[in-house]
């Protein structure tokens, strides 16, 4: 019986094996944030000469990448990337995700938006029938915290400020439990539209392209529309 951290290790290695054939010496690879991605970065380091540089979604990942000798390129210098690799807190069969458990959701969504394909790497505890058991992280501008919280309550949610946490962008995180997420893309658009919201942790308007899911029987691949 593999532990969750062993499954994360397996999916991290599987992700390196998955993206490696796509990499060329000119490639920029988008890199997410979290404990699964930390393992991915560690495994990627053995192949750092197979690609040019990474685009990073957090100070945490940047430090880890650079510490292993992988160049990190400013996103403003990058027009497009083929692949962005990141974990998730929940993912459904349509490859809609909830992200932001590590608080990096905004930069994750930005870097993912510059990539053609999103490879999601998770252990199978993250695969759900319907998103919503994991409280939805929402990054807010500090002065808008209470105004946004009231709007989230009006949607049936119970927002709780993540204590002692400031994002890489100087924002706060509201973790919202109790939401009924019937239509993830519609809810994502609705929350994104609230003044003061920087980013909502739903990744459904642009879901993952492919998910690698590690379980006791091995790592399986789920492909989204068009893949
Ligand atoms: C960080 C994220 C992470 O991808 C998500 O929280 C999963 O993390 P982990 O791999 O540690 O379980 O969205 O903002």
């Amino acid at each position: 019986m593999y532990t969750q951290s062993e499954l994360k290790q397996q999916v991290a290695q599987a992700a390196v094996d998955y993206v490696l054939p796509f990499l060329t010496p000119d490639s920029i690879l988008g890199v997410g944030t979290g404990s699964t991605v930390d393992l991915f970065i560690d495994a990627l380091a053995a192949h750092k000469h197979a690609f040019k540089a990474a685009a990073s979604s957090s100070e945490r990942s940047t430090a880890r990448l650079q510490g292993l000798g992988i160049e990190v390129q400013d996103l403003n210098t990058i027009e497009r990337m083929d692949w962005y690799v990141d974990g998730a807190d929940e993912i459904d069969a349509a490859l809609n995700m909830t992200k932001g458990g590590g608080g990096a959701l905004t930069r994750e969504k930005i870097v993912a938006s510059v990539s053609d394909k999103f490879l999601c790497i998770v252990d199978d505890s993250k695969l759900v029938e319907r998103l919503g058991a994991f409280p939805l992280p929402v990054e807010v501008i500090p002065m808008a915290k209470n105004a946004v919280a009231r709007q989230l309550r009006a949607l049936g949610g119970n927002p709780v400020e993540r204590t002692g946490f400031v994002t890489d962008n100087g924002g706060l995180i509201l973790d919202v439990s109790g939401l009924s997420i019937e239509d993830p893309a519609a809810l994502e658009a609705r929350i994104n539209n609230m003044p003061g919201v920087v980013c909502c942790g739903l990744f459904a308007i642009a879901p993952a392209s492919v998910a690698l899911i590690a379980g006791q029987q091995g790592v399986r691949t789920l492909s989204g529309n068009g893949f």
Side-chain angles (χ1 to χ4, degrees), residues 8 33-37 86-89 99-105 108 126:
K8 287 184 178 191
T33 299
S35 58
T36 316
V37 167
D86 201 355
D89 299 299
K99 293 183 44 53
L105 61 161
E108 290 171 342
K126 311 285 187 71

